[in-house]
Amino acid sequence: TLMGARLAASHGDRQEPKTNPLVSISDEPETLYKRLSILVKGHDRAVLDSYEYFAVLAAKELGISIEKVDKPPKTIERFTLLKSVHIYKKHRVQYEMRTHYMCLELKYLTSSTAAVYLEYVQRNLPEGVAMEVKKTKIEKIPEHIQKPVWDTLPQVEETEVKS
Amino acid sequence: SPLSPQTRAARVRAGKGDKMVTYEQAHAPHYIGHRKGWLSLHTGNLCGEAGAAQRALEDAFLRRFLAGTFPGLLLDEPVLKRRGNLLVLCALLGRALPPHKLYFLQGYCETLLGHFYKCPVRLELQTLPARLPYKFI
């Protein structure tokens, strides 16, 4: 009876093909990206390090090739204010804000891969961390530039001008 | 009268040895980023990001609001986190109130603040029997 139930279920599956509503198939050619540059900014170096480990692991699991992981030096924004409300110009207080950066560069992606990876990585962005994404598209050279101009012009007879 | 040479910002002055002090209170503001963490996490203060003043104002209002809805229950400063549009408030409470009242206050905070700031608000509460002492100054 169990074997009969399994055979009936498999027949039912073949008659109704399952289409996942989240997956869309289109015939348009996908835009290709030469480089996907993700710059992550944060106040805490440890948070950025753990996020880098997570993003690199996600890229490896999805099969995306990583060009390089760059860590630009931190920028410190300092300002000096008066310590007191009224006078005492010689006594000041200094505050600073440190921004650490981490740049992740991925190469040779399709638009759907980039969309999936960016959505996953952005949903898991920790609080207090900002991200900027730059995409470098590869496009075909437009038709009017494909051949050099001097090949297509009609041949002009050179007339020597004697002064 | 001239100013005293010592800064008095966010520092608990040494006493006789009976004053209980938590980890947060014991460390001065120059330890933030080294021994202390941040109480409010948002992207307004990063280089090239805007909105620092609005976040600061929202933080001040939220801390007063939480101090008012949980009078005498807040053990430590609440931690405010912003992930995209979502605002997460993490607070440590004492065990003076029964759980059903805490759940009501949590729902009240979340709906009211959601309507004020037009964004989803999540309040994560944890109860402890008492404040955790780090040092006795």
Side-chain angles (χ1 to χ4, degrees), chain B residues 103-119:
Chain B
Y103 287 133
F104 167 75
L105 285 175
Q106 181 182 3
Y108 158 83
C109 281
E110 288 182 359
T111 41
L112 214 58
L113 290 171
H115 283 286
F116 277 155
Y117 285 122
K118 311 287 181 225
C119 66

Side-chain angles (χ1 to χ4, degrees), chain B residues 15-51:
Chain B
K16 281 182 192 172
D18 56 346
K19 197 193 293 182
M20 192 211 72
V21 143
T22 56
Y23 189 89
E24 184 71 40
Q25 292 167 338
H27 288 84
H30 62 269
Y31 285 124
I32 293 176
H34 303 274
R35 296 185 199 176
K36 256 171 111 160
W38 284 266
L39 285 178
S40 154
L41 296 151
H42 58 274
T43 57
N45 285 320
L46 292 169
C47 255
E49 302 286 331

Side-chain angles (χ1 to χ4, degrees), chain A residues 24-73:
Chain A
S24 57
I25 304 168
S26 61
D27 288 332
E28 296 168 3
E30 291 208 8
T31 47
L32 303 170
Y33 292 113
K34 182 178 178 184
R35 192 182 294 128
L36 189 73
S37 169
I38 302 175
L39 176 69
V40 192
K41 298 188 270 193
H43 285 302
D44 202 353
R45 164 79 66 201
V47 166
L48 286 184
D49 286 343
S50 86
Y51 188 71
E52 170 215 343
Y53 175 75
F54 159 78
V56 160
L57 190 68
K60 278 185 191 166
E61 288 297 313
L62 285 175
I64 302 171
S65 50
I66 301 166
E67 193 175 334
K68 61 173 173 177
V69 177
D70 190 25
K71 292 192 183 175

Side-chain angles (χ1 to χ4, degrees), chain A:
Chain A
T1 50
L2 284 170
M3 283 300 292
R6 270 182 222 161
L7 285 171
S10 61
H11 276 297
D13 282 337
R14 272 175 221 159
Q15 281 168 10
E16 298 163 359
K18 285 179 191 172
T19 47
N20 194 352
L22 295 171
V23 174
S24 57
I25 304 168
S26 61
D27 288 332
E28 296 168 3
E30 291 208 8
T31 47
L32 303 170
Y33 292 113
K34 182 178 178 184
R35 192 182 294 128
L36 189 73
S37 169
I38 302 175
L39 176 69
V40 192
K41 298 188 270 193
H43 285 302
D44 202 353
R45 164 79 66 201
V47 166
L48 286 184
D49 286 343
S50 86
Y51 188 71
E52 170 215 343
Y53 175 75
F54 159 78
V56 160
L57 190 68
K60 278 185 191 166
E61 288 297 313
L62 285 175
I64 302 171
S65 50
I66 301 166
E67 193 175 334
K68 61 173 173 177
V69 177
D70 190 25
K71 292 192 183 175
K74 64 178 186 277
T75 51
I76 307 179
E77 189 189 331
R78 283 194 192 102
F79 40 92
T80 318
L81 304 172
L82 297 173
K83 194 193 264 193
S84 167
V85 163
H86 184 45
I87 39 176
Y88 305 112
K89 192 65 173 261
K90 290 182 196 170
H91 302 85
R92 312 257 182 145
V93 174
Q94 287 185 316
Y95 296 104
E96 66 178 30
M97 292 185 293
R98 296 187 180 181
T99 311
H100 301 269
Y101 300 95
M102 195 267 295
C103 189
L104 189 63
E105 292 188 14
L106 311 166
K107 57 181 175 180
Y108 304 140
L109 296 167
T110 53
S111 64
S112 46
T113 321
V116 164
Y117 179 74
L118 282 177
E119 169 144 9
Y120 179 59
V121 139
Q122 279 164 10
R123 272 187 193 270
N124 290 308
L125 201 64
E127 50 277 332
V129 167
M131 194 204 288
E132 284 173 10
V133 176
K134 289 180 190 166
K135 299 178 187 173
T136 320
K137 246 200 288 197
I138 303 176
E139 279 182 354
K140 267 192 166 175
I141 303 176
E143 285 181 10
H144 57 272
I145 316 179
Q146 268 176 3
K147 286 187 182 169
V149 182
W150 48 84
D151 284 346
T152 52
L153 277 177
Q155 295 230 333
V156 176
E157 289 181 2
E158 287 183 6
T159 51
E160 292 179 12
V161 176
K162 289 185 182 174
S163 58

